[in-house]
Amino acid sequence: MYYKERFWNKVAGGQIADQGLAEVLFDGAVNMGVYGISTFFQRALNALNLDGAAYPMTKADGEIGPDTIRTYGRYLVHEVTHAPTYEEDPLSSTRAKALPTEMVEKASAVLAVIIRGLRTARYIEITERDSS
């Protein structure tokens, strides 16, 4: 219950369409904090949005709330359809529900790789500052 409340729920694990990505966010929350991993998720979404041409930017505020989940849904729809999406609730839309699971997993895997890279860079920065 402790981990669910303090970490899983804070990274909206139950709202992430791909279990693998949800686990990356959960692991990151436990090991580096909810704020840090949430910010990395938001930055990854923004990095992949073609300067706002694919979907609106999300604020990298370290909180995975409705705006971040909406942006994640828009990202998934865009990655599968290759069309810009500005739907209000893309994960509930007919288009999102029709997304092939394999495509959702592949698109989410791209985000997971970026998030892991950001984590690695963060750990390197920490060790370079404090070699003890």
Side-chain angles (χ1 to χ4, degrees):
M1 194 69 155
Y2 173 83
Y3 284 94
K4 182 176 183 193
E5 288 177 12
R6 299 228 359 151
F7 303 105
W8 182 257
N9 292 344
K10 300 277 185 180
V11 297
Q15 297 178 53
I16 302 297
D18 176 66
Q19 184 65 35
L21 178 59
E23 290 173 6
V24 166
L25 295 171
F26 173 72
D27 179 67
V30 170
N31 288 294
M32 67 176 294
V34 171
Y35 177 85
I37 202 68
S38 299
T39 303
F40 289 172
F41 181 41
Q42 294 161 331
R43 289 175 60 198
L45 287 165
N46 287 339
L48 295 169
N49 81 355
L50 308 173
D51 292 325
Y55 47 85
M57 300 279 277
T58 191
K59 185 176 180 183
D61 61 5
E63 182 178 324
I64 299 177
D67 290 339
T68 303
I69 295 300
R70 188 176 307 112
T71 301
Y72 171 60
R74 289 173 174 156
Y75 162 76
L76 292 176
V77 170
H78 176 264
E79 284 301 299
V80 175
T81 65
H82 301 289
T85 181
Y86 291 86
E87 296 173 45
E88 188 58 31
D89 191 6
L91 287 178
S92 298
S93 73
T94 305
R95 284 194 333 178
K97 289 180 180 177
L99 296 177
T101 302
E102 180 180 303
M103 297 298 285
V104 169
E105 289 172 355
K106 285 182 181 180
S108 294
V110 171
L111 287 168
V113 167
I114 293 170
I115 292 166
R116 285 186 188 111
L118 290 168
R119 278 181 70 177
T120 301
R122 176 73 180 127
Y123 293 145
I124 290 170
E125 290 168 0
I126 291 168
T127 60
E128 287 174 342
R129 275 198 315 255
D130 182 8
S131 59
S132 59

